[in-house]
Amino acid sequence: MNAIIDLALSFPLIVFTVLLVLLAVYWLLVVVRLVPTELFEHDSLKEDHLASTMVSLGFAGVPVSVALSLLVVLAGAFSLAVELLVLRWVPLGLFRVPVGVVVLWASFAVASPLTAGLCRRLHCRLHRHPGLSRRCLLGERVRVTGVDDDGRARAVMDDDEAREVQLLGKSGNQPASGETRILVKYLPDVDAYRSVLEQDYLDARTRLVRLHLVGHHEPSETQRHGHNGSSPSA
């Protein structure tokens, strides 16, 4: 038992120990219905907050709490493996901290694409529970299937045609049948979404580059396609 405690309190594993305790408390509060599953979601991706950051990193379609939980668990598992297979057998001394920092970075770097893949697999299952997947659909790609006379449009999720959503356009940004659009704002009063054309959404990633939310080593869509990079209006 003492060996397990020492392992859990060693660096860098102590970081994941603290994060897992916080996640356990959070999910306990979710189970007893004291906090919602979509605690970190907002109605819009326009502002800079945790949900919009996670979407920009590829974790759209699932609640932020689910994506973060998977990310921490997978990164913690990788860090534990490195600790058991390598670090515990090497006399690092004062180099334990800088090596631990590198392990932390590598753990999240390895866990990030794995977590994104798991989140994509969860999309369809979450789509079957509309009450749990409204705000977390922001950032998802949809295909417009029809437009009503009152300006409302019907669209289906690009990766799950069984889930239909309602789009509400505004002057200068009206959906048209056949378009591929990205959900950027949820309107709870009418249970509908604002959306922008997929290309406009991709061009807006230049703004995230300026905010350092997307690495400067990743070429922006503007550089690849030659557009002006203006931010779309929701």
Side-chain angles (χ1 to χ4, degrees):
M1 186 65 181
N2 290 335
I4 295 177
I5 294 176
D6 290 340
L7 184 64
L9 297 180
S10 65
F11 187 79
L13 287 178
I14 189 172
V15 174
F16 294 102
T17 300
V18 173
L19 291 176
L20 289 172
V21 170
L22 293 176
L23 287 175
V25 172
Y26 166 76
W27 285 110
L28 177 61
L29 294 176
V30 170
V31 170
V32 298
R33 300 181 183 277
L34 292 180
V35 297
T37 305
E38 292 184 328
L39 178 65
F40 304 104
E41 267 68 26
H42 290 243
D43 287 338
S44 174
L45 295 179
K46 185 176 181 179
E47 302 299 330
D48 301 317
H49 46 71
L50 179 59
S52 63
T53 301
M54 293 295 286
V55 168
S56 72
L57 295 175
F59 296 96
V62 299
V64 172
S65 55
V66 173
L68 285 177
S69 298
L70 291 173
L71 181 62
V72 170
V73 169
L74 291 177
F78 179 83
S79 183
L80 176 62
V82 173
E83 175 69 32
L84 293 177
L85 296 176
V86 180
L87 298 186
R88 67 179 304 182
W89 307 108
V90 179
L92 294 173
L94 295 177
F95 291 99
R96 160 67 75 162
V97 173
V99 171
V101 172
V102 172
V103 172
L104 278 174
W105 176 85
S107 298
F108 283 105
V110 171
S112 182
L114 297 176
T115 303
L118 288 175
C119 288
R120 283 192 293 270
R121 290 180 176 272
L122 290 174
H123 284 185
C124 291
R125 293 186 180 182
L126 288 176
H127 293 168
R128 302 295 183 266
H129 301 280
L132 296 176
S133 59
R134 286 192 168 92
R135 290 172 179 82
C136 69
L137 291 183
L138 298 182
E140 285 273 65
R141 183 185 293 106
V142 298
R143 188 178 71 258
V144 181
T145 57
V147 180
D148 298 332
D149 294 335
D150 59 1
R152 280 205 178 208
R154 301 178 302 281
V156 295
M157 308 303 298
D158 188 62
D159 60 354
D160 182 13
E161 295 187 356
R163 176 67 193 275
E164 185 178 85
V165 296
Q166 298 291 317
L167 306 181
L168 191 61
K170 61 181 183 180
S171 179
N173 186 29
Q174 292 290 347
S177 295
E179 288 181 340
T180 298
R181 302 180 72 89
I182 304 295
L183 305 179
V184 296
K185 185 175 183 178
Y186 177 62
L187 307 172
D189 293 340
V190 292
D191 192 23
Y193 294 87
R194 298 286 191 198
S195 63
V196 296
L197 289 170
E198 182 181 26
Q199 189 56 57
D200 292 339
Y201 179 81
L202 294 176
D203 288 342
R205 285 172 64 87
T206 55
R207 175 172 174 269
L208 299 182
V209 172
R210 291 197 296 270
L211 293 174
H212 303 286
L213 295 179
V214 177
H216 287 285
H217 64 279
E218 179 184 348
S220 68
E221 293 294 331
T222 297
Q223 294 171 328
R224 287 198 289 264
H225 297 284
H227 289 281
N228 58 20
S230 61
S231 298
S233 172

